[in-house]
Structure formats: C-alpha cells, structure tokens
Amino acid sequence: MDIFTEQAASYDECIERIKAKHGPHIHVLRQKKIRLGGFLGFFEREGIELNFMISRDTSRLVSGTTQPKQTDFDEERKKILRQAAQTSPELASRVAPHIAAITANPTNHSNPTDKQSLDAILKVVQKLEARLDDQNNMSDSSSEEHETIAHLEELLELNDFSSSTIKSLVQRAKKEFSLEELSDFDHVQDTIIEWIGHSIPFSENKSSAKPRIIVIVGPTGVGKTTTIAKLAAAYSLAATKGSRPLNVRVITLDNYRIGAKQQIEIYGSIMNIPVSVAESAQDLSELMALHQDADIILIDTIGKSPKDYSKIAEMRHVLDAAGTISDIHLAMSATTKTSDMREIMQQYETFGVTSVIITKFDETTHVGNIISVLQDKQKPVAYITTGQRVPQDFEQASALRFLTNLEGFRVNRTKIEKLFPLPENRFEWR
C-alpha cells in the first residue's frame, strides 16, 4: 500500500477529488491546514491537505475463495507503519515498537481474513499524527502570536538585518524561550543581543611575518587611501606600547585618480613615513625587495567597480609581485545596502580577502545589514572607521561597537563589556 496526498480548499472537496480518482475505499491518515495559491506571499487562501491510503477490495475476502496468507497481512501492516513514519521523524520513533512487534511475532495476530487488524494499525497512526499536529500547532501559534516575538521581529527589521538572519533568530527564540520567559522582554532582548554578538566574526589582527604585508582593496569611494593613512599612523604610533618604533612603509598603486598620490604623500610626510608609487608589477616587485627591512608594508590599491572584472583581474596580477601577503583587507562602506555588500565580497574574493574593514561607520544608524553579511559570508571584520580624522577616527572592530549601535534595543553596556571584552594594545604589531 502506498501513501498518497491530495490538496483542496476544504475537507469535503478533498474527499471528493480522492474518490473521483481512486474510488471509495480509502483510509485518511493525516489532515493538516495549508496555504494555497498566491503570488509572492499575496492572495493566498487556506486549504486542506490529506494523506491517505487506498484500501483493499474486501469483497474477495468475504467470499473466502482467495484469502491472502497471514504473512501478506504482516507485510502490509509493516508497510503501513513504515510509510506513515516517513511523513514525520518524530512519528517514526513512536511507531517503531509496532513494527518490531510484528517482526518478532509474525503469526501472533487475529484472523487474516479479518480487516480489523489493518484498521487498528491505521487508527493508531492517525491518532499519533493528530497528536503531533496538535502539539506543533499549539507551539507555533503560541509563539507566533506572542507580542514579544512580534516586537523582536520589528526591531530586527528596523536595524536592517537580512530576512535569513531574522528568521534564524526568531526560530531560535521560539525554540529556546518558554512562554513565561517570553513575558519578560528585557530578558529576551538581552539574550538576543548576546546571540548577535557571538555571531559576528572578528579578526585577531596578528601576524609573525616580517615584513608584514597588508593590502587594502575595495570599490571606489569607500575611503581606502584615508584608511591606509590611519593604519600607518596606528602602527607607527605603536612605539609607545612596544620596545622600539615600528618601521612602516606605504606603497600606492593608485596613480590614476586625480590627487590620490598627493593625498597619501601628504599623510606620509606628516607622519614621517616613506611613500612610494608602483605603476606595474615590476615596480612593485622592486619596491618590495627594497623594503625587506621594514616591519609593516601597507599597499593602497586602485578603487574599482565590483563589476569591472578585467580591471580586478589585472590588479590581482600586479599584487602577485608583492609575494606572500599577510593580510588583505576589503574596505566596504557601512552605508552600502546588503545586496551590494554581498556582490562586492563575492567579486573581491579573487584576492583571497582575509578580513573586512567597515568605513564610514558614523554615517549609518543601522548595522544589521553589516552583521548579516559578515555572518553569512563568515568573513571576519578587522577595523572600523568613524570619520576623516587621521588617526583618531579609527579603531579595532568590537562587538561592543556593533551592539551599542543597535537601534531600539536596550543594550546593557556593562554586561556586554564583560561578555565581549576589548583587547589590549590594539595596534601593537607582534
């Protein structure tokens, strides 16, 4: 016997369709409410789905001329139980004892001509499935209708979290919070904030290589050159925390954008950091050989559109001349929408990006899009920039900075600082 499925607007209509296709001898195993029709979530209507089996024709059994063997009925019983169990993993565990009993005692049953044995098993399966459906429906309705869950979804949407991140957090909340806990919204939001904090991947920003070669790539207009200057200042000023001044060098590949070379040279002059320009892979190779005594070599690249595949590939070829690169940071603006962030990360993956720098963090009030993309791509964030000042508006990325920027949530700063402590000696090179 096989299990079939039929859908219709009502139970009676569903039964009529089944009988029209398969005749009157059926056994309904399961019934559940579904959503029918619609387009992109609109114009849907309620419906019914029935799981059923086609019964044997009992007329031949009554005549007594062709009674099936006991083992045939045993096999039918086992098949019913197995196929019904496949509709639900939880149901499978409950009907397993029935299957085992039939297998262990294949002949210890009622008269094989009596159809009651099959009916009894079908009723057991129906009761088990009805009980599971009631439990699931009660759990779903209690969670979906709870005002805390609804408010939580509103806050996550307000902060521009992606739909997949919102769905994941809401489902976890429904699963882990009891009804009593859901009534305490402060407790729920504290826990949700903790979950979000643990979901953000952060870079450790450590390397033992010498020289440590750090490259920044990214699209036009995200502030790569200013970020290079901030990194150079951070590492050169780390001498106050270490045993000696760090020897920092800057190489720029951006010889095309008007004023770009002059801008980085001015920064270098103020900080007393040498700045060089490489126009080709050969130039870069020679400069790398010249700066082998440096502690830190920072390479500023040309800003390209993520859709300019040929230019990105060309820049990747030039960077090959740098040798073994310790860190490749992808700079992205915090104001970039989620879909564009995903595309940028996808196209720049050819560089072997090790971490992300979020620029213009001060220009957005919503950070959910950033957190969602970092989580989806599992790409750690290293630094954030919060303005144009060099080197002040620059810091190592932290859970505290992201979580305190969540709009609408009541963030317990003291608790967050204990859960996600800031590292010491942020910019000290090791």
Side-chain angles (χ1 to χ4, degrees), residues 4-8 11-28 30 49-54:
F4 300 91
T5 300
E6 186 67 56
Q7 297 178 347
Y11 180 88
D12 292 338
E13 182 181 345
C14 210
I15 290 294
E16 289 180 4
R17 290 186 182 183
I18 293 171
K19 290 183 177 180
K21 294 179 181 178
H22 304 283
H25 303 295
I26 60 170
H27 281 282
V28 176
R30 185 182 186 189
E49 179 180 279
L50 298 182
N51 297 112
F52 65 94
M53 301 179 67
I54 301 174

Side-chain angles (χ1 to χ4, degrees), residues 326-392:
S326 305
D327 308 273
I328 297 184
H329 299 306
L330 171 61
M332 290 196 303
S333 169
T335 60
T336 308
K337 62 183 181 181
T338 306
S339 58
D340 288 341
M341 278 190 173
R342 287 199 177 96
E343 183 177 359
I344 290 169
M345 294 183 76
Q346 181 67 34
Q347 298 305 330
Y348 279 90
E349 190 57 41
T350 183
F351 291 94
V353 172
T354 57
S355 57
V356 176
I357 296 177
I358 301 299
T359 63
K360 305 182 181 181
F361 200 81
D362 57 313
E363 296 182 17
T364 184
T365 56
H366 302 146
V367 296
N369 59 326
I370 305 170
I371 296 173
S372 294
V373 173
L374 292 174
Q375 181 183 359
D376 292 345
K377 295 294 186 180
Q378 279 302 294
K379 200 63 78 171
V381 55
Y383 304 103
I384 62 173
T385 70
T386 55
Q388 294 296 315
R389 294 181 302 169
V390 178
Q392 293 94 329

